[in-house]
Amino acid sequence: MRVFARIARTVKERPWTIIAMSLVLSVLLGLGLLFLKGDVTYYSILPKGFPSIKTLDNLRKKFGGIAYESILIRAPSVTDSRIVQFLVGLGDYLGEDPRFNQGQIQTVKDGEGEKIPVVQDYLTPFIANMKTEMATMGFDIPLNSISNDMVKQFTGKDFQQLVKEDYLSNPQVKKSMVGKQKFVTPDYKAALVMIKVGTGLSDKQQIKLANDLDDLFRSKLGDVSGIKINIGGDPTLARDFDRHIRNKTIILFVIAIAFVIIMLFLSFRRFTDTLLPVAFVVLGLVWTFGFTGWVGIPYSVAAIAIMPLLLGTALTFVVPLVARYYEEMEHHFRSVEAVGKAVMTVGVGIFLAATTNVFGFLVFKLSVLPPLKDFGITCAAGTVFIFGLSVTLLPAIMAVRDRSYEKAPEEVRAELRTHFDGLSRRKRRGIFARVTDRVLEAFSAMAVRHSLIVIIGFTLLILLGFVQIRSLKTDSDLRKLAPRNLPGILADFEIEKYFGGRQQDVIMAEGDVLKPESLEAMVRLEDAIADDKDNIYEGKMLYPRNAIVGLPDVLTEANNGRLPATRAEAEQAVKTAEANGGYVTGGLLSGDGKAALITLNSQGAQSPQVVDRKLALLKTNSEKYLTKQGLQYELGGITPITKDMTKNIIPTETLSSILSLILCALILIVIFRSFPYGLITLTVAFAGVAAEIGFLQLMNWPLDTITSLSSALVIGIGVNFGILFTHRYLQEMELGNRLPVDAIKATMMNLGRANVVAALATVAAFVIIMLSDIVPLRRFGGVTAFAIGWCLVTSLTLMPALLYRLSGHREAQVEKAMPEVEPEKT
């Protein structure tokens, strides 16, 4: 209390000093926004210790990774001479352009030892043969310099005729290039180009690569009649998601702020007391994200939840402070004294709430997911900043404003007082105020008169909510983390339509992989997966046979349709395949020849059951055919990543919630110096988490990386309602010999109003988030809004009932312990 008395004195005596220091800190922290970076790829949001991430690291070392940018080209005919001419020269364009030749694109050495970009499309064998013929004829010119007229001059046919009549008419070419899981559709109206992404690219570099590739294709092909270009892959998705997080989410936040302004104005009917808290919230966000920029904490998908969380936290701090200021104005009208009283009385409660929130958020440091660790640190830092601003800068600005009133002439002050009195009367007559007061009076009466029924009823509801945790499920389609209308996601689904599922899984076999017995084992593995009865799910094949391609398939095709019978045949088949443009070494065979890949393409998994079935298919058959042959194996790709990500959501959510609740309980018991008061205050958070679980189950919504953050918000924001209520109740009880009934009613009608305003504004902000295009974010907004609303109801019903029963019990104990006084004898 002494600390806040000193703060109140400083606010009253040196408000300009506080404002100046805050502005300096705002500039210093604000500069950190320039260094803010994002983690927006799947790889960046998973811990390095996950098996799927370790496999990705091994794949990078041995094969340069498995990440490709996939470009879907649609046109009246993708054999159009302009399109063919560009695709023929694409490798040279990439090799010559400094945007792509500094490690952004994977390269492989050709027969002459020159590095060429890894590009795969339906013209790859055609280009290889073209290079061979040019070398035979003594020509040494870049392919991107060959024009359609030059081709006509030497062959008598243009590019389109040459490709359709002499190339695609070849049965072997049709078999390997045309159809599902290939590179061109049978009607030649769609073609797929795959460019292998370089390893070790940062998120920023991947975003730039996506933009540069998009510019290259559209600048070269954009004016071809009827052409449509869609680009997908990790870099494009990172770019789109980064853009969405920074743009669309900010727009939603601005809309949420607008609703908050409306709610605050309806409550305070005063522009300064409405705009000051909002400006204070925005400044708190600048401090928070500027701080993360300086210390190198990246923003990720979890950052979407940080802004509304800090908004809600700020409202639970600021609104009670401003409301208490209005109360004190009845005794110290438009005086800095009222500001100081508000800081002293509410500041302690805000400090207790902030302390509890900070420790609760730091529990996320125990999470296995890096974004959740960063989320916890960022929210803890943001809470500290908002607390500091709420008890210093905001009251300092209010003190400066009221100083001008104190110095004004008496006639001006009289006029302002009359205006304010009228405004206060209008507020009391307003519909919002009348409805709020009646509800609070009803809750107060119910909590006192029917306290036992309220306690039993809420206890059953809380238990019912927690029981539902067993039924929660997770969402296993990671593409839902991004809106369906993002260019990269649209491209993904369009490619699936023309060429089948492109969600890639890989089996990496290690050992003597060129040994005929090893190649035979891999062939049997491929056939076994395709023929396995568990490969059929709901009438569809999880891994179609034509979507499974491994080293043996390429070597068989290069060896006249026969699997190599000796190591020498296998090595020769590798050379033959590469001479025909096949990407073998670095693609399906490691550079040292000790590892081979089997790639399996499929559609995205729609449920955890599909993920589990896919993994079981891969593990069981790999164990059966590879291990027995003495080959080691690792599983990589989208399915193992999805499993590692989703299997930890519910355990992480459960553990973090339990630890947060336990930690909150300990802190509340310490700060109130009372076991009963601490646990009574915690019931708000318990009810909120139970409501979150019950609402998810009721709506049949799964948990994902975003909705799993909801419990942190519910505990962090919800417990504030309880802390401030208990703190105010204890203050009211200390005012003379006030009865519990009177203390509850006074707390309800004063702080209760502030909590209602803060909760409604916060709920409105989360409801706005439901307008997002991100499916998990819509769920997140809905479940958090419901849970925070339930926290408010709990703080106005269950808590008063428990406080009333506790106080009544203690009074009975005190009366029982008092010695009986015998009546005086007359």
Side-chain angles (χ1 to χ4, degrees):
M1 195 68 175
R2 292 178 182 176
V3 173
F4 287 95
R6 189 174 301 170
I7 293 174
R9 187 168 59 252
T10 305
V11 164
K12 291 187 294 181
E13 296 174 357
R14 298 184 180 88
W16 284 111
T17 302
I18 294 174
I19 293 172
M21 291 176 63
S22 299
L23 290 176
V24 171
L25 283 173
S26 297
V27 172
L28 293 176
L29 288 172
L31 290 174
L33 294 174
L34 301 175
F35 307 102
L36 196 61
K37 61 179 182 177
D39 280 346
V40 289
T41 61
Y42 292 144
Y43 180 79
S44 65
I45 66 177
L46 290 173
K48 304 303 179 282
F50 275 8
S52 59
I53 298 301
K54 289 182 178 178
T55 300
L56 282 182
D57 289 336
N58 288 335
L59 288 169
R60 283 190 176 91
K61 294 174 185 176
K62 298 179 182 296
F63 295 92
I66 57 173
Y68 287 84
E69 277 290 86
S70 300
I71 299 94
L72 175 67
I73 300 174
R74 289 174 288 170
S77 175
V78 293
T79 62
D80 180 280
S81 294
R82 287 275 308 278
I83 297 175
V84 173
Q85 181 178 336
F86 170 71
L87 294 180
V88 166
L90 178 57
D92 286 340
Y93 285 125
L94 295 173
E96 295 171 0
D97 195 325
R99 295 180 297 175
F100 309 110
N101 62 12
Q102 305 297 318
Q104 299 92 337
I105 303 294
Q106 287 277 332
T107 58
V108 64
K109 291 183 179 180
D110 61 9
E112 299 178 359
E114 293 186 9
K115 291 183 177 181
I116 58 173
V118 177
V119 179
Q120 295 175 280
D121 57 45
Y122 82 97
L123 292 174
T124 300
F126 176 81
I127 295 170
N129 292 335
M130 194 173 177
K131 285 182 176 180
T132 302
E133 291 181 12
M134 287 173 59
T136 302
M137 297 170 64
F139 290 105
D140 185 18
I141 59 174
L143 293 182
N144 63 350
S145 67
I146 300 175
S147 67
N148 196 44
D149 291 336
M150 292 171 63
V151 172
K152 259 188 178 182
Q153 184 180 348
F154 280 95
T155 67
K157 300 178 180 180
D158 61 15
F159 265 127
Q160 185 169 29
Q161 291 172 318
L162 198 62
V163 167
K164 291 185 73 172
E165 296 173 11
D166 296 355
Y167 173 64
L168 289 175
S169 60
N170 186 309
Q172 189 173 353
V173 171
K174 275 193 173 182
K175 181 180 178 182
S176 60
M177 293 292 159
V178 181
K180 289 285 187 181
Q181 301 299 329
K182 307 300 181 183
F183 293 97
V184 66
T185 56
D187 59 5
Y188 304 149
K189 290 187 176 181
L192 182 65
V193 181
M194 298 184 66
I195 300 175
K196 194 169 186 180
V197 178
T199 59
L201 298 183
S202 66
D203 285 12
K204 186 176 181 179
Q205 289 172 321
Q206 291 196 51
I207 291 169
K208 184 178 184 304
L209 174 60
N211 287 326
D212 291 340
L213 283 174
D214 188 74
D215 177 69
L216 174 67
F217 273 79
R218 297 191 189 281
S219 64
K220 298 294 184 181
L221 298 176
D223 59 348
V224 174
S225 178
I227 196 167
K228 294 180 180 179
I229 299 172
N230 298 92
I231 304 179
D234 287 350
T236 296
L237 187 57
R239 179 202 64 187
D240 294 344
F241 204 30
D242 178 73
R243 187 179 296 165
H244 184 84
I245 290 175
R246 289 188 292 107
N247 296 342
K248 185 64 178 289
T249 306
I250 291 175
I251 291 173
L252 290 179
F253 184 72
V254 169
I255 297 174
I257 284 286
F259 270 85
V260 168
I261 290 174
I262 294 171
M263 289 296 304
L264 293 179
F265 184 74
L266 287 175
S267 304
F268 298 138
R269 296 290 186 89
R270 195 178 184 192
F271 283 110
T272 52
D273 287 336
T274 298
L275 296 179
L276 275 179
V278 173
F280 151 81
V281 170
V282 174
L283 186 61
L285 290 173
V286 170
W287 282 31
T288 301
F289 286 103
F291 167 78
T292 60
W294 279 120
V295 300
I297 298 175
Y299 65 84
S300 65
V301 64
I304 296 172
I306 293 173
M307 287 193 286
L309 183 146
L310 295 181
L311 171 63
T313 300
L315 289 173
T316 58
F317 290 177
V318 173
V319 174
L321 182 71
V322 176
R324 188 58 182 255
Y325 165 74
Y326 275 116
E327 283 187 57
E328 296 299 331
M329 280 181 65
E330 294 180 5
H331 310 289
H332 311 280
F333 179 74
R334 292 292 292 271
S335 167
V336 292
E337 191 65 30
V339 178
K341 290 283 186 180
V343 172
M344 289 180 61
T345 52
V346 180
V348 176
I350 295 175
F351 171 74
L352 299 178
T355 303
T356 307
N357 289 357
V358 168
F359 281 103
F361 290 136
L362 289 179
V363 168
F364 278 85
K365 282 292 291 180
L366 302 176
S367 172
V368 296
L369 299 176
L372 296 191
K373 293 181 179 182
D374 294 339
F375 170 82
I377 297 174
T378 304
C379 290
T383 301
V384 171
F385 290 145
I386 287 173
F387 163 72
L389 288 168
S390 65
V391 297
T392 57
L393 180 60
L394 180 62
I397 295 174
M398 294 168 69
V400 168
R401 181 191 62 188
D402 286 353
R403 267 187 177 182
S404 62
Y405 169 80
E406 291 179 338
K407 294 179 181 179
E410 181 59 37
E411 59 272 16
V412 174
R413 284 188 288 167
E415 182 180 349
L416 289 173
R417 180 185 292 273
T418 303
H419 172 70
F420 185 80
D421 287 344
L423 187 61
S424 298
R425 286 194 293 271
R426 287 201 299 273
K427 283 170 58 181
R428 286 194 293 269
R429 290 198 300 266
I431 295 176
F432 180 80
R434 292 205 310 270
V435 170
T436 302
D437 287 350
R438 288 180 182 177
V439 170
L440 291 173
E441 287 172 358
F443 280 167
S444 180
M446 181 174 64
V448 171
R449 297 173 187 171
H450 309 288
S451 57
L452 192 58
I453 296 175
V454 170
I455 293 170
I456 294 173
F458 270 81
T459 301
L460 293 176
L461 287 174
I462 292 172
L463 292 175
L464 180 63
F466 277 108
V467 167
Q468 304 302 315
I469 197 169
R470 294 182 177 180
S471 306
L472 290 181
K473 56 183 182 293
T474 56
D475 195 344
S476 40
D477 191 349
L478 297 185
R479 290 177 297 185
K480 290 181 181 177
L481 287 176
R484 179 91 180 238
N485 61 357
L486 290 185
I489 297 297
L490 285 174
D492 195 20
F493 284 107
E494 287 296 321
I495 291 170
E496 279 192 4
K497 186 192 305 181
Y498 289 96
F499 297 101
R502 308 300 294 189
Q503 300 286 296
Q504 190 179 60
D505 293 321
V506 297
I507 302 171
M508 181 171 66
E510 295 183 86
D512 193 357
V513 294
L514 289 178
K515 186 171 66 173
E517 292 82 1
S518 298
L519 295 173
E520 178 67 28
M522 284 186 268
V523 170
R524 290 181 179 179
L525 170 61
E526 293 178 24
D527 292 336
I529 291 174
D531 296 336
D532 197 309
K533 59 181 178 60
D534 289 333
N535 193 35
I536 304 294
Y537 185 79
E538 294 183 350
K540 294 182 180 180
M541 295 189 75
L542 299 177
Y543 295 114
R545 184 62 183 90
N546 66 343
I548 306 175
V549 179
L551 178 63
D553 302 289
V554 175
L555 299 188
T556 298
E557 187 175 339
N559 195 44
N560 299 318
R562 294 184 300 104
L563 188 69
T566 65
R567 180 183 297 277
E569 274 191 13
E571 291 173 350
Q572 182 57 46
V574 171
K575 294 179 181 178
T576 302
E578 291 180 338
N580 291 327
Y583 178 47
V584 182
T585 303
L588 294 172
L589 178 67
S590 62
D592 59 8
K594 295 181 179 179
L597 287 187
I598 297 172
T599 64
L600 307 95
N601 288 327
S602 63
Q603 292 185 336
Q606 298 297 316
S607 67
Q609 291 76 16
V610 175
V611 172
D612 292 341
R613 182 172 287 207
K614 281 184 171 183
L615 273 180
L617 271 172
L618 301 179
K619 285 182 178 179
T620 302
N621 290 290
S622 295
E623 190 74 27
K624 182 177 180 181
Y625 293 99
L626 298 183
T627 305
K628 287 184 178 180
Q629 191 56 46
L631 297 172
Q632 296 180 331
Y633 73 91
E634 291 184 55
L635 304 179
I638 195 68
T639 299
I641 287 177
T642 302
K643 181 62 178 178
D644 279 346
M645 179 179 278
T646 56
K647 77 178 181 181
N648 285 283
I649 289 177
I650 291 181
T652 299
E653 160 85 354
T654 304
L655 178 62
S656 62
S657 297
I658 291 174
L659 289 177
S660 293
L661 289 170
I662 292 174
L663 192 58
C664 283
L666 294 175
I667 295 172
L668 291 172
I669 291 170
V670 170
I671 62 180
F672 286 122
R673 299 179 183 178
S674 167
F675 191 83
Y677 282 127
L679 293 187
I680 287 174
T681 305
L682 190 66
T683 56
V684 178
F686 264 108
V689 175
E692 172 205 355
I693 297 169
F695 188 73
L696 284 171
Q697 184 62 21
L698 180 66
M699 300 297 292
N700 198 29
W701 286 351
L703 271 176
D704 51 54
T705 52
I706 297 180
T707 51
S708 64
L709 299 174
S710 181
S711 63
L713 275 74
V714 171
I715 295 172
I717 297 175
V719 78
N720 292 348
F721 298 140
I723 291 173
L724 293 170
F725 195 99
T726 302
H727 181 256
R728 180 62 183 265
Y729 172 77
L730 293 175
Q731 284 183 331
E732 294 293 337
M733 288 290 288
E734 291 174 1
L735 296 176
N737 295 321
R738 179 168 283 190
L739 294 174
V741 175
D742 298 327
I744 287 173
K745 185 174 181 180
T747 303
M748 190 78 77
M749 300 308 296
N750 291 301
L751 179 70
R753 291 193 189 105
N755 278 351
V756 169
V757 173
L760 289 179
T762 306
V763 167
F766 282 103
V767 170
I768 294 298
I769 292 176
M770 294 183 71
L771 300 175
S772 170
D773 296 325
I774 302 177
V775 173
L777 193 55
R778 290 204 297 266
R779 300 178 192 143
F780 165 78
V783 69
T784 307
F786 179 83
I788 289 176
W790 195 248
C791 285
L792 173 67
V793 173
T794 305
S795 70
L796 299 177
T797 52
L798 178 59
M799 270 195 61
L802 289 169
L803 291 171
Y804 174 73
R805 300 292 295 188
L806 175 65
S807 299
H809 174 70
R810 287 187 169 178
E811 283 185 359
Q813 285 186 321
V814 171
E815 290 179 2
K816 188 175 181 180
M818 289 178 63
E820 292 185 5
V821 180
E822 294 184 3
E824 295 183 5
K825 294 181 180 179
T826 57

